[in-house]
Amino acid sequence: MKLDLLLRNADIITMDPDRPSASSLGIWQGRIVGLDEDLSGVDALEVLDLGGATVTPGFIDAHCHTTWFGLGLAELDVSGARGLEELYGLLRDAVTDGGGTKGEGWLFATGFSQTQHGGLFPDIAELDRITGERPLFMRHNSGHMAVVNTAALRLAGAHSPSFPDPDGGAIVRDAAGRPTGLVQETAQELIQQLILPYSLEDIEAALERATAYYASEGITSFTEAGVGGGWIGHSPAELAAYQRAAGNGRLHARAQVMPVLDVLHPLDGHSSDSPGAAPTGLDLGISTGFGSGFLSLGPAKVFLDGSLLGETAAVSHEFCSHGHKDNRGNVGYFQADPAQLRERIESAYAAGWSIAAHAIGDRAIDLALDILSDCQATYGPRRVPNRIEHASMTRPEQLDRLAEAGIAVTPQASFFRDGGDGMTDSLGPDRLPWAYRAASFLEAGVTLAGSSDRPVADGNVLRGMQAFVDRRTESGAVFGNPAERLTPLQALAAYTSGAAEATGSLDVKGTLTPGKLADFTVLSASPLDAPDISALRVLATAVGGRFTYQSTDFHTAPASLVPAGQSHHSL
């Protein structure tokens, strides 16, 4: 028997503590079959001499928004604008050349953040002058708010000063009661319901764009953090678009997909199926874990609160006033009544779902811990761990509770550079050590998963690893507590073995161990001793032993150098 692929002359970082390094790796039928001496005398259909390049397990982004990111790649990107005048210029150009258009002449923009404009939001009067009667929807990079114009508000019937705010959201108004153009949290749905659903073809194309981009950055697996409904979903049939993309070869990384809690509905089964709670789920009783090794259902996603950048997270002490913002009395808010959230989460858990609770503020983390701990005590643990998404403000006493309950966390190091200075101003010095922990999570025994929240923040894994190591903000300051910095090995683990454990898949990926899936990333040098991890280059990416990306530096040797019956590539 010949192997399908043999890698040799490589610096292989396995992330397997029982065998941390190797120089050769063999692959057959998409799985790793051996390392080094295991491969003695074994032949292969294809042999790659990597010339000392580094091989790591494939990178896993445990929390991102892939459909949103892929759609944004085809929309007007305003993330590079600095200052409102530059932003207005981009919008004027788009109106002139017809950019960012979808459907009934909408102008779509992505990547806005007030932190790039001195804390200022666009003037709705200026937006109206630029766009006229063309409706505008400009997503904030946090995803928890958006900027719209009067035309969009009028189409939604929400332009009147007397229009009520929806539960869990706000149409921000000035002192005279006039909308400013900023819609927060669930208020975004007032506008989105005019746009949604996207077609399955649009979503499938977005997934292809996004995952091809992922492959170029070494990402082999990801978790889509919310589909099917709410303000984060793009179609009730979003999972079908994933299935189509996978079946048509347009999905270039393994996907775990979280449905939002909103799309679950009551299930009438036998009374013994879920004693103590009326179950809610998806039809036929499918739940977390359903699917294949390439496309599966993850936990049900539920939003408990808002964001730190938007200062809508549920915190125990009010945000600090700063710049143009008076935060007296502002402790954020929950997305729904806590008793209602508890009832809905327990019903989903009773039906077999793991839960991924978006909880940014420490008050929201308290709520998540209380609910998930009670669910686990009543219905038992889940094979795919329950998670707290972001866990951005974690008090010291919450660490042991997280570890005891076996709840994984997904803090994003990618927030440090662009959002760190702004969050520092919002939180103040007393609470800053609680923000976006990393080392203290690991010390407490909490599973830490690397993730980006892309397109909310930069999704490049190498830059994310460097951010975990140095925690530098745009100003050059160290964000939060310097003691929360990770070692390079810990940072690599976050995006490999840690993310695999948090997604319930450490038995099949996350380390380069015989028997596991042959998902790997080839790097120009080792991240364990690189002066700047973010400066490394991804040379190649493989999923199941098949390359999803090869850089121009990944050369093929002349055929005359290849032994008979083999294909021999060299870097």
Side-chain angles (χ1 to χ4, degrees):
M1 181 194 76
K2 286 187 176 182
L3 299 181
D4 296 321
L5 177 64
L6 175 62
L7 307 180
R8 65 186 186 192
N9 191 20
D11 172 22
I12 302 173
I13 304 171
T14 68
M15 300 307 294
D16 182 345
D18 293 332
R19 187 170 191 168
S21 62
S23 61
S24 299
L25 182 147
I27 297 165
W28 183 66
Q29 294 192 351
R31 298 268 179 169
I32 298 168
V33 296
L35 300 163
D36 289 353
E37 67 275 6
D38 303 334
L39 307 171
S40 179
V42 175
D43 199 0
L45 296 175
E46 186 174 22
V47 178
L48 297 179
D49 184 326
L50 297 189
T54 297
V55 176
T56 71
F59 298 152
I60 303 171
D61 188 333
H63 179 119
C64 56
H65 302 281
T66 303
T67 302
W68 174 12
F69 175 62
L71 290 169
L73 291 174
E75 295 174 351
L76 174 64
D77 182 4
V78 300
S79 61
R82 295 296 182 270
L84 291 180
E85 287 305 317
E86 190 172 339
L87 173 68
Y88 295 147
L90 291 176
L91 294 173
R92 287 191 193 96
D93 291 344
V95 169
T96 300
D97 63 21
T101 300
K102 175 186 180 291
E104 300 299 319
W106 281 80
L107 175 59
F108 289 97
T110 187
F112 170 77
S113 174
Q114 75 277 17
T115 61
Q116 298 159 347
H117 308 286
L120 298 175
F121 288 88
D123 181 348
I124 192 170
E126 184 61 27
L127 294 177
D128 291 344
R129 279 191 287 272
I130 294 170
T131 58
E133 290 303 310
R134 183 178 179 185
L136 166 71
F137 186 78
M138 180 164 59
R139 178 91 76 164
H140 190 276
N141 71 348
S142 71
H144 288 265
M145 63 183 93
V147 174
V148 300
N149 61 358
T150 299
L153 289 167
R154 189 179 295 115
L155 284 173
H159 62 291
S160 169
S162 62
F163 188 87
D165 287 338
D167 289 340
I171 302 169
V172 179
R173 296 173 172 84
D174 62 19
R178 294 183 296 261
T180 65
L182 182 64
V183 289
Q184 294 178 330
E185 306 297 346
T186 60
Q188 296 177 91
E189 294 180 50
L190 298 168
I191 310 300
Q192 289 175 309
Q193 66 186 359
L194 304 171
I195 304 162
L196 299 176
Y198 284 81
S199 72
L200 293 183
E201 172 53 36
D202 283 347
I203 297 174
E204 185 180 352
L207 294 174
E208 181 173 39
R209 284 192 296 268
T211 57
Y213 199 101
Y214 289 2
S216 72
E217 295 184 335
I219 296 171
T220 57
S221 294
F222 67 94
T223 296
E224 169 74 84
V227 302
W231 59 262
I232 202 65
H234 296 88
S235 167
E238 202 161 351
L239 183 60
Y242 264 93
Q243 288 182 289
R244 283 175 42 157
N248 293 332
R250 302 177 75 180
L251 197 62
H252 306 294
R254 302 182 193 275
Q256 181 187 68
V257 179
M258 294 180 180
V260 295
L261 200 65
D262 310 54
V263 305
L264 274 55
H265 54 79
L267 298 174
D268 295 324
H270 194 276
S271 59
S272 65
D273 292 344
S274 54
T280 59
L282 297 180
D283 291 326
L284 302 179
I286 62 174
S287 61
T288 301
F290 181 82
S292 68
F294 198 76
L295 174 60
S296 64
L297 286 174
K301 170 77 176 293
V302 57
F303 288 91
L304 300 189
D305 67 345
S307 74
L308 280 184
L309 285 175
E311 297 176 339
T312 56
V315 292
S316 56
H317 299 85
E318 64 187 27
F319 289 102
C320 298
S321 298
H322 58 94
H324 303 273
K325 189 71 178 289
D326 181 358
N327 271 319
R328 286 174 293 184
N330 180 17
V331 292
Y333 51 84
F334 291 115
Q335 293 281 296
D337 178 75
Q340 183 185 52
L341 288 167
R342 173 181 282 273
E343 181 180 5
R344 294 174 63 206
I345 290 171
E346 184 176 355
S347 294
Y349 200 91
W353 289 92
S354 302
I355 300 296
H358 168 110
I360 297 279
D362 63 309
R363 194 157 52 98
I365 292 174
D366 278 335
L367 180 62
L369 280 167
D370 290 345
I371 296 173
L372 294 178
S373 296
D374 289 347
C375 283
Q376 291 180 169
T378 303
Y379 302 103
R382 292 286 180 256
R383 189 191 69 78
V384 176
N386 295 304
R387 298 167 38 159
I388 293 182
E389 306 305 296
H390 313 298
S392 309
M393 291 292 296
T394 311
R395 299 191 310 273
E397 67 271 20
Q398 292 173 325
L399 294 172
D400 288 341
R401 291 193 65 193
L402 285 165
E404 183 179 355
I407 296 172
V409 296
T410 63
Q412 286 78 30
S414 50
F415 288 167
F416 301 159
R417 187 191 66 190
D418 294 334
D421 292 324
M423 289 188 287
T424 297
D425 292 339
S426 293
L427 298 175
D430 293 339
R431 285 177 296 175
L432 198 57
W434 305 350
Y436 285 97
R437 295 177 180 272
S440 58
F441 280 136
L442 295 178
E443 289 164 7
V446 179
T447 298
L448 171 67
S451 69
S452 67
D453 206 17
R454 179 185 255 165
V456 174
D458 181 11
N460 183 284
V461 171
L462 294 171
R463 289 195 288 268
M465 289 173 58
Q466 183 62 38
F468 267 132
V469 170
D470 64 30
R471 297 180 69 90
R472 292 292 177 185
T473 70
E474 191 172 37
S475 70
V478 175
F479 177 70
N481 185 352
E484 295 291 350
R485 290 168 165 163
L486 298 183
T487 67
L489 181 62
Q490 290 172 327
L492 177 59
Y495 290 98
T496 54
S497 55
E501 184 174 3
T503 55
S505 56
L506 185 57
D507 59 328
V508 294
K509 60 188 175 185
T511 67
L512 297 177
T513 303
K516 290 192 177 185
L517 296 166
D519 298 355
F520 61 87
T521 301
V522 183
L523 301 174
S524 56
S526 171
L528 302 186
D529 52 22
D532 180 2
I533 299 171
S534 65
L536 300 180
R537 290 174 292 116
V538 173
L539 301 179
T541 306
V543 175
R546 294 179 179 271
F547 287 104
T548 54
Y549 170 77
Q550 296 182 63
S551 75
T552 56
D553 296 328
F554 204 71
H555 300 300
T556 302
S560 60
L561 300 181
V562 182
Q566 293 186 14
S567 172
H568 182 175
H569 299 278
S570 175
L571 284 176

